[in-house]
């Protein structure tokens, strides 16, 4: 068996073990069910707050699943396998997105992480009373995209309900303009109402 094949097998075994702990297997399975997947980007290590939000947001634009290799010993063989996988991914992506490099995508991730941090901070400050009514053990997170209007972001707030094993339960639709600190929330009738400070 070629060394390349052995490294590839080790990498996939490590990834399968890690998926169990990361909870990304379901996301990846859903993508495979639709055959709408261009690749997998793998990374490891500890990062700044909101890095995960930024990386998932950016890689989703390129139809790539970003997956952290976690709870694994990062030895030389795993490091080489991850590098090989990512190099192959960017070769494939460069056919669709000429000039896209890992450095360029990391610059996008850095900016996206800052945006995610800003949107999360604003959302949590404006909705703190609504959030306090939820079980403190529930995981609250956002998904966001830029609106056609510059500086305006459409933000959906989700929660995972552990006692009923429900994931991605939508709580609120928001429109956030960080520059002016304006926040609108959509009510049950579909109308947008301002949330005052």
């Amino acid at each position: 068996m070629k060394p390349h094949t052995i490294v590839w097998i080790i990498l996939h075994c490590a990834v399968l073990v890690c998926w169990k702990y990361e909870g990304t297997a379901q996301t990846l399975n859903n993508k495979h069910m639709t055959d709408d997947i261009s690749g997998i980007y793998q990374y490891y290590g500890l990062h700044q707050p909101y890095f995960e939000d930024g990386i998932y947001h950016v890689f989703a634009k390129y139809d790539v699943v970003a997956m952290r290799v976690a709870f694994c010993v990062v030895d030389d063989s795993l490091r080489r396998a991850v590098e090989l996988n990512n190099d192959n991914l960017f070769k494939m992506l460069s056919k669709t997105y000429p000039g896209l490099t890992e450095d360029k995508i990391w610059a996008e991730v850095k900016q996206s992480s800052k945006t995610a941090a800003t949107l999360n901070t604003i959302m949590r400050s404006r909705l703190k009373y609504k959030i306090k009514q939820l079980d403190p053990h529930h995981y609250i997170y956002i998904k966001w995209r830029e609106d056609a209007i510059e500086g305006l972001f459409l933000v959906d707030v989700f929660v995972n309900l552990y006692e009923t094993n429900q994931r991605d339960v939508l709580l609120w639709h928001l429109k956030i303009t960080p520059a002016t600190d304006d926040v609108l929330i959509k009510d049950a009738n579909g109308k947008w109402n301002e949330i005052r400070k």
Side-chain angles (χ1 to χ4, degrees), residues 125-182:
S125 69
R126 293 296 181 85
L127 297 174
K128 60 185 170 189
Y129 298 111
K130 289 181 178 280
I131 291 171
K132 281 183 181 178
Q133 295 171 359
L134 300 171
D135 186 316
H137 298 100
H138 293 324
Y139 176 62
I140 298 170
Y141 61 97
I142 67 171
K143 292 182 183 176
W144 55 275
R145 67 185 186 283
E146 294 178 59
D147 190 59
I149 301 170
E150 190 175 336
L152 177 67
F153 295 89
L154 302 173
V155 179
D156 292 333
V157 183
F158 294 89
V159 67
N160 289 339
L161 304 173
Y162 296 113
E163 69 276 357
T164 58
N165 202 25
Q166 290 176 282
R167 299 180 61 81
D168 304 325
V169 177
L170 179 64
L171 293 175
W172 306 292
H173 291 290
L174 305 174
K175 287 184 181 180
I176 299 177
T177 309
T180 58
D181 207 26
D182 291 331

Side-chain angles (χ1 to χ4, degrees), residues 20 31 58 80 88 107 135 148 160 170 193-195:
K20 178 181 176 185
K31 294 282 264 174
V58 170
R80 282 192 303 271
N88 289 334
D135 186 316
N160 289 339
L170 179 64
N193 301 300
E194 185 179 359
I195 303 176

